[in-house]
Amino acid sequence: MNKVVKDADVAISDIQDGMTLMLGGFGLCGLPENCIAALVRKGVKCLTCISNNAGVDDFGIGLMLKQRQVKKMISSYVGENAEFERQLLSGELEVELIPQGTLATRCMAAGYGMPAIFTPAGIGTEVAIGKEIRNFNGKDYLMELAFEADFAIVKAWKGDRLGNLVYRAMARNFNAVMATAGKITIAEVEELVEPGELDPDHIHTPGIYVHRIFQGKDYEKRIEQRTVRKII
Amino acid sequence: MLDKIGIAKRIAKEIKDGYYVNLGIGIPTLVANYIPENIDVVLQSENGLLGMGPFPFEGEEDADIINAGKQTITMLPGSAVFDSAMSFGMIRAKKVNLTILGAMEVSENGDIANWKIPGKMVKGMGGAMDLVASAENIIVAMQHVNKAGESKLLPQCTLPLTGVNCVKKIVTELAVLDVLPGGGFKLLERAPGVSVEEIKNATAGKLIIDGDVPEMII
C-alpha cells in the first residue's frame, strides 16, 4: 500500500469549485502550509472552509481569502485578519461562528461514524436558535450534526506511506480530529518516514483515515504572538 | 481599588492544591504568575495541553508550542498533549476544576456575555461557550464598570449571551462577590480603600450585603 503523492499540487488536484474543506491548525500553529499554497495556485473558488481560525492577512487561509476563493468560513474565532473583516462587512464572505468544542466534536463525530452529538455549549444563546434541544438528567443539550467535508487537509510532524501520522506538541490541535473526518484526507508531513519507523503505540492518526500523504517542504511555521520571559 | 495585577493576585487565592485550571485571555492569564508556590496546580490550555509553563526564554520560542492566546509558551515536566476534541471532552466532562475568564457583563443569575457587541466586528466565541456551559466553578475577572462608567453587574445582560446561569464568583477592582444560586450578587470582600457605598453605586444588579464586609487581604 502506498499513499504517497509527489507534492501538494498533485494531492489537491481534484479539489473542485464549491467543495467543502476541513483545514487543520489552531491560529497559525500546525497549518497545512503546502496545501494552502497549492490551493492558491490552483485558484479553486466558492470553497466552504471548516477551520478553527481564518489565518492572518498574509498567512494561512488569509492567502485564500485574498484571492476570493472562500465563499463561507465555519470557525470559532476569526480575529486578526483585516481582509477577512472587509469581505465579511461587504457581504462577499459568509461566516458561521460556532463554539470551538462544538467544532472539534462535530469533526470527531464524522470520524467516529456518528451522525450527531449533544453538547451544552450554546444553550440559552443565539447558537441554539433553530436547533433541537434534548434534556438528559435535568440538563439541556443542543444536537449538533457531524460535519461532512469533501476533503480534510492536515499537517503532521511525521508520517509513513501507509498514512500513519504523528503530530508534534500543540500542532496536533484540530489536525488529529479533522484527519479522521474527510471523505478524502490529505496529510502533508514535515518528515516522511518508512513503515516501521513510527512506533505503533505512538501513532496519533492510524493510516486507515488518510488517503494521500506527501513530504512537505519550506515550512515557515510562523509564530503569531511571540512572547518571551526576561532573564533575571 | 485594585489594578489588574491586584485582581489576578486575589483570584490566585481561589486556586487550591490539586486543581486543574483553565485561564482565559487577559487578566486571567496573569493569574498564573501568582499561584502560591506551595500548591500543585496544572494549567490547561484548550488548544491541547495540560502542564502549561511560563513564556520561553528568547531564542527558545517554538512555533508548535503555543497557548490558546497563540502566545509562545513552554511545557512543564509531566505535561500531556492532546487534540482539540479531547481538550473539550475533558472540559465537558468536568475534569477541569476551575475556569477563570473575562466578561463584558454578568447578570445577577450568573449569565455571562463576553463574545459579541452588536454593530462591532464579531471575532467569535472561541472556546468560551464550551467552557461556561460545562464548568462547575467559574470565576469572572473584570472591571466593575465599563469605559462609559456603566455597571457590568446587571439584573440582566444586555449583550448577546455566552452562557446562562453559570458564573459563581466575580472579582473586580472594587470587590469580590458570589453569585447566589437563587440570584443576586453577595458582597464578600471590599478592595482596599473601597467603601460599601462605592460598590453599591457601581452595581446595577441586586446586591446582597450581610453584616460587615471585610476588606480583602492580598
Side-chain angles (χ1 to χ4, degrees):
Chain A
M1 192 176 289
N2 185 10
K3 297 175 180 179
V4 176
V5 295
K6 182 169 152 272
D7 57 21
D9 295 294
V10 176
I12 62 115
S13 57
D14 53 347
I15 293 182
Q16 305 294 325
D17 290 356
M19 282 186 165
T20 297
L21 312 181
M22 285 179 179
L23 292 140
F26 180 96
L28 305 183
C29 176
L31 293 182
E33 294 180 26
N34 284 213
C35 282
I36 290 171
L39 286 164
V40 170
R41 280 193 293 275
K42 183 172 163 72
V44 276
K45 289 197 160 39
C46 296
L47 299 171
T48 295
C49 293
I50 303 167
S51 177
N52 189 54
N53 313 93
V56 292
D57 277 322
D58 60 344
F59 199 63
I61 294 175
L63 298 169
M64 293 162 65
L65 288 163
K66 203 184 272 179
Q67 303 299 321
R68 316 269 177 92
Q69 292 176 274
V70 183
K71 178 187 70 176
K72 182 178 181 182
M73 283 298 311
I74 300 174
S75 304
S76 85
Y77 188 84
V78 292
E80 340 309 341
N81 191 324
E83 175 63 14
F84 181 96
E85 189 168 342
R86 192 197 64 71
Q87 290 185 21
L88 178 62
L89 296 175
S90 71
E92 292 166 62
L93 179 68
E94 193 184 335
V95 178
E96 186 180 342
L97 292 169
I98 61 178
Q100 193 176 140
T102 301
L103 181 69
T105 313
R106 289 175 68 186
C107 295
M108 190 195 83
Y112 279 56
M114 300 184 294
I117 57 142
F118 290 94
T119 175
I123 286 286
T125 78
E126 63 186 52
V127 167
I129 294 169
K131 290 176 185 161
E132 184 176 337
I133 295 172
R134 287 276 299 272
N135 188 287
F136 297 96
N137 304 317
K139 183 167 174 166
D140 284 340
Y141 294 81
L142 284 184
M143 188 172 81
E144 297 276 9
L145 302 180
F147 280 123
E148 287 187 33
D150 298 299
F151 284 83
I153 300 173
V154 303
K155 188 250 174 181
W157 180 36
K158 293 181 181 183
D160 64 24
R161 64 174 157 78
L162 297 163
N164 296 308
L165 302 177
V166 175
Y167 307 89
R168 183 172 175 276
M170 273 59 79
R172 193 182 319 182
N173 58 55
F174 280 86
N175 283 305
V177 193
M178 291 177 171
T180 66
K183 285 188 194 121
I184 294 173
T185 291
I186 298 169
E188 57 175 86
V189 295
E190 285 182 56
E191 198 183 336
L192 188 64
V193 301
E194 287 302 312
E197 285 186 47
L198 300 174
D199 182 339
D201 278 330
H202 293 173
I203 284 166
H204 299 135
T205 300
I208 192 168
Y209 283 114
V210 177
H211 304 83
R212 299 170 196 170
I213 186 168
F214 66 93
Q215 168 71 59
K217 60 178 186 185
D218 302 331
Y219 283 105
E220 182 179 337
K221 295 180 74 168
R222 194 185 291 189
I223 292 173
E224 196 164 343
Q225 306 279 348
R226 188 178 297 273
T227 44
V228 295
R229 211 180 335 173
K230 293 269 188 312
I231 299 171
I232 300 160
Chain B
M1 197 184 290
L2 302 177
D3 58 6
K4 285 180 180 179
I5 287 172
I7 295 173
K9 282 182 174 171
R10 177 60 191 81
I11 290 176
K13 297 177 75 161
E14 300 292 322
I15 300 175
K16 306 269 187 309
D17 189 39
Y19 267 17
Y20 290 93
V21 182
N22 181 288
L23 301 175
I25 293 162
I27 298 174
T29 306
L30 298 174
V31 174
N33 300 329
Y34 305 103
I35 297 170
E37 283 183 9
N38 58 343
I39 62 171
D40 256 339
V41 173
V42 178
L43 299 180
Q44 198 246 20
S45 191
E46 66 264 26
N47 57 319
L49 174 65
L50 280 166
M52 177 166 58
F55 296 147
F57 290 116
E58 186 147 19
E60 293 176 3
E61 312 93 302
D62 185 324
D64 290 338
I65 305 178
I66 63 165
N67 64 17
K70 285 96 175 182
Q71 296 170 309
T72 45
I73 50 155
T74 52
M75 294 190 276
L76 295 174
S79 282
V81 173
F82 36 86
D83 64 55
S84 299
M86 182 178 279
S87 182
F88 285 94
M90 64 184 70
I91 288 165
R92 229 178 274 121
K94 305 183 195 305
K95 306 297 180 187
V96 176
N97 304 95
L98 175 62
T99 294
I100 303 169
L101 74 177
M104 298 170 189
E105 295 177 346
V106 176
S107 79
E108 62 190 35
N109 66 339
D111 295 352
I112 178 171
N114 73 350
W115 75 284
K116 182 175 183 179
I117 301 173
K120 289 203 177 171
M121 169 70 188
V122 181
K123 293 185 171 184
M125 66 290 280
M129 280 194 185
D130 307 274
L131 282 158
V132 301
S134 294
E136 289 183 314
N137 193 4
I138 299 176
I139 301 179
V140 163
M142 67 174 188
Q143 302 297 317
H144 215 100
V145 297
N146 64 20
K147 282 177 187 149
E150 298 157 342
S151 180
K152 295 167 74 173
L153 286 77
L154 303 170
Q156 282 182 318
C157 292
T158 62
L159 296 169
L161 294 178
T162 308
V164 293
N165 225 328
C166 54
V167 177
K168 295 290 187 293
K169 193 181 281 286
I170 304 166
V171 179
T172 75
E173 78 281 19
L174 303 179
V176 180
L177 310 103
D178 266 353
V179 181
L180 296 183
F185 301 108
K186 179 161 186 198
L187 183 57
L188 300 180
E189 298 172 20
R190 297 172 290 116
V194 174
S195 68
V196 169
E197 205 58 31
E198 284 174 77
I199 297 163
K200 266 188 197 166
N201 291 338
T203 308
K206 184 175 161 195
L207 186 67
I208 296 158
I209 302 162
D210 190 5
D212 278 344
V213 180
E215 195 169 281
M216 66 178 82
I217 299 159
I218 298 169

